[in-house]
Amino acid sequence: MYRSTGFLSFLLRRVTGVALVLYLLLHIWVIGGINSGADTFNSRMEFLGKPFFRVLEIGLLAAVVYHGIDGIRLLMVHYLNVTEYRKSLLYAALAVSAILVIAGGLPILLFALEG
Amino acid sequence: MSTTALSVTVRIQRFNPDVDKKPYWDEFKVEATQGKTILDALHEIKEEQDGSVTFQRSCRHAICGSCAMNVNGQNMLVCETPLREHVDRKGRITIRPLPYLPIIKDLVVDRTRFWEQYLRVKPWLIPPENIPEKEFRMSEDEVKALHDAEHCIMCGACYSSCQVVALNKSYIGPHALLKAFLRVMDPRDSAPAARLDDLDKGDGVYRCHTIFNCIDACPKKLNPTEAIETLRKLAMKRQAFEDARRERQQQLNEPIGPVPGH
């Protein structure tokens, strides 16, 4: 496998994309529970209210944030002739994503720990 | 400047399809003297240590493109690369054939698919009907817009570094798309719309995932990704582009302004 920063971004894009699709299926399963009545919906919500899933929400935040910012990076590549700055752009996308995930992830973590 | 020799372990990926089931590694010791290239080291190994080591090379001046190989994970022309520059901390240098291409033997790969994709984009010039008597006149800006794409030596370093090529065998590839860019942008070419129409297919310009390996791998510092981006934009307005080309070709044999010194 030819290793490069470009390949890293390619992998991250796909992994976060697949993660978001899986989340969407889970989301539809929970919301779809309402068709079977309030009890089903509430039991599904309760199941996802466990600390494990709350912590996993940080992963969801990371996937959403990185995938979105990577999309902006790609738009810049497509329309602004910035291939010369390809590595800096990737590092910037990673840095901005990391800051946003930490800023958003800490409250999620504290909320999950409180129980 | 130091002239002391440095002992280097050259790790070469070996594979002979007649006897080996899978590739394996062989190690050779060479002295990395000042000015010795990786190709020099390979020659030394073949002549003095193991005559069965197989590799491809021709000009030794970084212009034929036959000695492209993967050194420490990066594609490059070994004839122009000093051995010392790529010795790792353990005093080793690792040489593999170009990735994602079928291996014929040791460091020699089968480039059939590479050339098939090249021919697919019709890399030759399709001239207009009214060929000027003496010469085509292109402006400086028109030459600049080609971004030195004509410097490509078809070494395959970009093609075999591309993960999209690895995943999708029908993808045209950065080498052929760069050539297509050269022809599409050339004011002398008279079929840019037909070219862009072919590149607009599922295995053409939109198959590129902007991984940028082609830029990093190119020994001539060319930019296939930017060329692909330009082709994407032109593909969306190909008919207007061709109309503008036809108009431009009406003046191809006209002088393009005052020539310096005349």
Side-chain angles (χ1 to χ4, degrees):
Chain A
M1 192 49 81
Y2 198 90
R3 281 183 221 164
S4 63
T5 49
F7 182 56
L8 174 74
S9 74
F10 175 74
L11 267 187
L12 282 175
R13 204 182 312 156
R14 263 138 198 81
V15 168
T16 53
V18 169
L20 290 177
V21 168
L22 292 178
Y23 163 72
L24 195 66
L25 293 176
L26 191 66
H27 182 66
I28 291 168
W29 176 70
V30 173
I31 300 297
I34 210 153
N35 292 327
S36 316
D39 288 345
T40 314
F41 178 74
N42 286 338
S43 71
R44 287 180 187 179
M45 280 302 282
E46 202 180 330
F47 173 69
L48 292 177
K50 288 175 184 168
F52 170 74
F53 285 105
R54 289 198 179 172
V55 173
L56 212 61
E57 279 182 353
I58 300 174
L60 173 64
L61 176 71
V64 170
V65 166
Y66 178 76
H67 204 80
I69 290 177
D70 195 55
I72 296 171
R73 181 184 69 90
L74 281 179
L75 281 176
M76 289 169 73
V77 169
H78 290 327
Y79 294 103
L80 301 179
N81 295 348
V82 287
T83 51
E84 202 183 318
Y85 309 106
R86 55 195 177 277
K87 282 190 182 136
S88 311
L89 276 173
L90 173 65
Y91 295 143
L94 286 170
V96 173
S97 305
I99 292 166
L100 290 176
V101 169
I102 291 168
L106 273 177
I108 295 175
L109 190 66
L110 290 175
F111 183 66
L113 290 177
E114 275 172 16
Chain B
M1 194 184 281
S2 165
T3 52
T4 52
L6 171 79
S7 181
V8 173
T9 304
V10 181
R11 296 176 76 229
I12 300 177
Q13 183 180 307
R14 306 292 306 273
F15 180 65
N16 180 352
D18 293 337
V19 288
D20 301 323
K21 282 189 177 150
K22 57 179 186 179
Y24 63 97
W25 293 97
D26 245 356
E27 292 190 356
F28 303 93
K29 287 267 181 203
V30 295
E31 297 291 312
T33 48
Q34 196 70 38
K36 187 184 280 186
T37 64
I38 298 173
L39 182 62
D40 292 335
L42 285 172
H43 269 295
E44 193 180 307
I45 290 165
K46 189 173 177 70
E47 281 158 20
E48 297 172 13
Q49 299 185 44
D50 185 347
S52 70
V53 172
T54 309
F55 55 91
Q56 209 178 3
R57 71 109 178 124
S58 184
C59 75
R60 302 177 70 151
H61 288 85
I63 200 67
C64 73
S66 56
C67 69
M69 293 171 201
N70 186 281
V71 178
N72 293 349
Q74 303 296 313
N75 288 355
M76 59 186 74
L77 298 179
V78 292
C79 68
E80 64 167 359
T81 312
L83 182 61
R84 282 186 170 206
E85 269 183 22
H86 290 274
V87 178
D88 64 15
R89 274 178 290 179
K90 291 177 183 169
R92 294 187 312 186
I93 184 163
T94 304
I95 308 175
R96 293 191 301 141
L98 288 177
Y100 310 138
L101 295 174
I103 302 172
I104 293 174
K105 194 183 174 192
D106 292 347
L107 300 171
V108 182
V109 290
D110 180 0
R111 295 174 195 232
T112 309
R113 195 152 38 84
F114 173 83
W115 292 114
E116 280 171 358
Q117 296 295 357
Y118 175 66
L119 289 176
R120 176 197 156 150
V121 301
K122 299 189 179 74
W124 52 86
L125 186 78
I126 302 173
E129 282 169 16
N130 55 337
I131 295 174
E133 220 170 275
K134 282 185 179 171
E135 59 183 348
F136 289 106
R137 309 295 295 260
M138 282 168 72
S139 76
E140 227 169 89
D141 287 341
E142 285 167 336
V143 176
K144 267 187 200 157
L146 302 177
H147 291 290
D148 296 334
E150 74 279 11
H151 290 190
C152 174
I153 58 170
M154 307 303 295
C155 66
C158 62
Y159 184 74
S160 98
S161 71
C162 179
Q163 264 96 17
V164 183
V165 167
L167 295 168
N168 188 332
K169 305 293 177 215
S170 62
Y171 174 49
I172 295 178
H175 69 303
L177 288 173
L178 184 73
K179 188 62 81 174
F181 164 82
L182 179 68
R183 293 297 169 232
V184 167
M185 297 299 286
D186 193 327
R188 300 167 298 172
D189 194 88
S190 60
R195 291 180 190 278
L196 289 165
D197 197 44
D198 180 46
L199 302 177
D200 200 12
K201 305 268 167 28
D203 48 7
V205 284
Y206 297 107
R207 183 58 57 193
C208 167
H209 289 297
T210 54
I211 302 174
F212 305 126
N213 282 356
C214 53
I215 308 177
D216 294 329
C218 181
K220 297 295 171 193
K221 308 272 181 273
L222 302 176
N223 192 332
T225 310
E226 203 65 74
I228 293 168
E229 294 295 349
T230 307
L231 290 173
R232 280 173 174 170
K233 286 170 205 146
L234 292 178
M236 287 186 269
K237 49 177 182 181
R238 49 183 175 269
Q239 203 47 57
F241 186 71
E242 177 141 323
D243 293 344
R245 172 65 48 82
R246 285 196 197 292
E247 205 163 301
R248 167 70 183 96
Q249 285 181 342
Q250 301 302 314
Q251 302 109 37
L252 264 176
N253 48 1
E254 301 286 324
I256 46 170
V259 180
H262 285 76

